[in-house]
Amino acid sequence: LAQGNTEMMQQGITLAKILSETHPNDAVSLAIYGDFLMMDDRYEEAVAQYKNSLAIDLNNQIVLQQILIGLSQLNDIEGMVEYSGKALDLYPEQSIFYLFKGVALTFQKKHEDAVKALLAGSKLVVDNEIQLKDFYVRLADNYHSLNNHSESDKFFEKALKIDPKDPLVLNNYS
């Protein structure tokens, strides 16, 4: 509701800031402030609030995911590697953290490590065809970078089975 309304968004940010300042040792209060900052595209500030929240309560899967989204928006690849690793230590069954790690490793041109992370994560995807396609496309791209064209083609074909008209997949596969 606040996201489309500038005045409501600013009120929400102000109230969330007051909440975080009033309860600086409450991980949820800090995360709520981070959420409002994230909705306002203030990624650096949002990530800082999420990190403060994690310093109080490391066992918050959603906050870890929000940090990774913010870091990806900031193109902080080193941070993505660090926090995806922390997330996987705590939540090794969550495919999304493997995806973030695979993406970050791809940007670092560590294609073999990216493939390992992406393969592991792709096996954990349940009832999420969009995420599965994302794993397949990223696997295909990494295999292509490793000059393993048969594996690259295999994963592009898997992605196309999910969405045969995806223009990015069709372009990269050709």
Side-chain angles (χ1 to χ4, degrees):
L1 183 65
Q3 220 165 354
N5 183 319
T6 306
E7 184 178 331
M8 285 186 71
M9 176 60 79
Q10 290 311 311
Q11 288 176 359
I13 290 170
T14 300
L15 291 173
K17 183 177 181 184
I18 291 168
L19 178 67
S20 72
E21 290 171 348
T22 307
H23 302 282
N25 297 317
D26 179 42
V28 174
S29 298
L30 299 172
I32 289 170
Y33 185 32
D35 289 342
F36 272 95
L37 292 167
M38 186 76 91
M39 285 188 287
D40 199 39
D41 299 333
R42 293 163 56 182
Y43 302 113
E44 199 167 314
E45 294 171 79
V47 167
Q49 289 303 314
Y50 290 135
K51 286 180 179 180
N52 291 338
S53 175
L54 277 186
I56 296 166
D57 179 12
L58 182 60
N59 296 311
N60 191 321
Q61 180 179 333
I62 295 180
V63 170
L64 282 163
Q65 188 171 333
Q66 289 297 97
I67 284 177
L68 286 162
I69 292 168
L71 292 170
S72 69
Q73 290 294 324
L74 294 167
N75 293 315
D76 182 346
I77 305 307
E78 294 294 324
M80 287 176 65
V81 170
E82 176 187 349
Y83 277 89
S84 63
K86 288 180 181 186
L88 286 169
D89 287 344
L90 292 167
Y91 303 102
E93 74 288 350
Q94 294 300 313
S95 60
I96 189 69
F97 297 129
Y98 291 91
L99 186 58
F100 277 112
K101 185 171 187 171
V103 167
L105 291 168
T106 300
F107 279 111
Q108 290 182 328
K109 299 193 184 313
K110 295 179 180 176
H111 300 292
E112 289 179 12
D113 292 336
V115 164
K116 288 177 189 171
L118 294 165
L119 282 173
S122 69
K123 295 173 185 168
L124 299 172
V125 177
V126 178
D127 295 328
N128 189 338
E129 293 287 302
I130 293 170
Q131 187 182 82
L132 190 58
K133 182 183 78 168
D134 204 10
F135 271 104
Y136 291 160
V137 170
R138 293 175 188 287
L139 279 161
D141 287 340
N142 276 283
Y143 277 121
H144 179 76
S145 294
L146 291 168
N147 292 316
N148 186 336
H149 301 295
S150 62
E151 285 298 304
S152 178
D153 290 351
K154 179 177 98 175
F155 282 102
F156 276 129
E157 288 168 12
K158 285 183 170 196
L160 286 171
K161 283 183 183 174
I162 294 171
D163 185 358
K165 296 181 180 181
D166 184 306
L168 179 64
V169 177
L170 289 167
N171 180 62
N172 288 358
Y173 187 34
S174 66

